[in-house]
Amino acid sequence: MKMSHEEYIEKQRKRAVEVATGMLDGSIDYLEGAIELSSLRFEVGLPEDDKDFLAFAGVSSEVDHLPIGAARQYWSKAALERHEPEIQQSTKWAKEVSLSECKSIVARFNA
């Protein structure tokens, strides 16, 4: 069965809420969640300069060189260990610059 454009947008908004909620409760790695929210930016039916999603686009672009998520499996143990302090610092920074936007996404779309 084919989904309408409105249904697609609603599905993507629900996914954004799931990701943001997981980021807030710690069940989803914060940087992985930020990258996914950045990718959902054009899928939720909002202007491309939406403040909440733009924050995650910024985080995503700042951490795209780090071994995060599925890409970690392709990195050596030594490289992962070497990058771990930067990942921890980047996670702390990402929360500082986007935690309120994370909460806002949950509030906006959690209907």
Side-chain angles (χ1 to χ4, degrees), residues 32-105:
E32 287 182 47
I35 292 166
E36 184 170 352
L37 287 177
S38 175
S39 72
L40 286 169
R41 177 175 157 210
F42 300 107
E43 308 298 321
V44 294
L46 297 173
E48 66 180 65
D49 63 347
D50 180 80
K51 177 187 175 293
D52 292 337
F53 285 90
L54 208 51
F56 295 105
V59 169
S60 180
S61 72
E62 290 296 320
V63 300
D64 63 1
H65 65 286
L66 295 172
I68 297 168
R72 289 179 67 85
Q73 67 183 319
Y74 303 110
W75 289 64
S76 71
K77 185 177 183 209
L80 292 172
E81 289 172 359
R82 190 171 56 251
H83 282 87
E84 191 57 31
E86 186 178 0
I87 291 170
Q88 295 303 318
Q89 183 60 34
S90 294
T91 300
K92 182 178 184 250
W93 166 80
K95 288 179 181 179
E96 289 170 2
V97 301
S98 66
L99 195 63
S100 63
E101 288 81 359
C102 198
K103 292 174 183 177
S104 177
I105 287 171

